[in-house]
């Protein structure tokens, strides 16, 4: 049985990344409180990541994000 919630350590193992990567995704709001993770014991407590939302995030359409980023970069190059 898969757990519905993952600790930060379990999440790192699940998506094969470092704690720093996860904390950076929290800081830059890629992982959103109430969507991708919760803090059931209040602020400044342990994170519990919602496995089903992490799965959705991992299956996102990366190609459309890449296209958007490429368009922004192209516009900046043209403007300079």
């Amino acid at each position: 049985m898969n757990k519905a919630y993952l600790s930060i350590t379990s999440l790192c193992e699940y998506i094969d990344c470092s704690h720093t990567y996860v904390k950076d995704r929290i800081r830059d709001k890629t992982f959103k409180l109430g969507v991708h993770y919760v803090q059931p014991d209040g602020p400044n407590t342990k994170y519990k990541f919602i496995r089903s939302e992490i799965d959705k995030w991992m299956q996102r359409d990366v190609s459309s994000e890449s296209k958007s980023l490429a368009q922004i970069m192209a516009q900046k190059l043209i403007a300079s």
Side-chain angles (χ1 to χ4, degrees), residues 16-79:
D16 191 26
C17 69
S18 68
H19 283 195
T20 303
Y21 176 83
V22 172
K23 290 180 181 181
D24 287 346
R25 297 300 68 83
I26 292 169
R27 224 174 280 119
D28 70 12
K29 308 252 190 265
T30 298
F31 291 154
K32 295 173 180 62
L33 179 62
V35 176
H36 299 103
Y37 70 95
V38 293
Q39 289 180 287
D41 298 322
N44 301 318
T45 61
K46 292 183 178 183
Y47 300 112
K48 297 291 182 186
F49 293 87
I50 304 166
R51 186 184 187 116
S52 61
E53 293 301 321
I54 296 300
D55 288 340
K56 288 178 194 174
W57 173 79
M58 289 179 63
Q59 295 171 1
R60 70 198 184 282
D61 184 358
V62 175
S63 63
S64 67
E65 289 179 17
S66 297
K67 285 179 191 175
S68 175
L69 180 58
Q71 288 174 342
I72 292 168
M73 293 174 68
Q75 289 172 349
K76 287 182 179 182
L77 283 172
I78 292 169

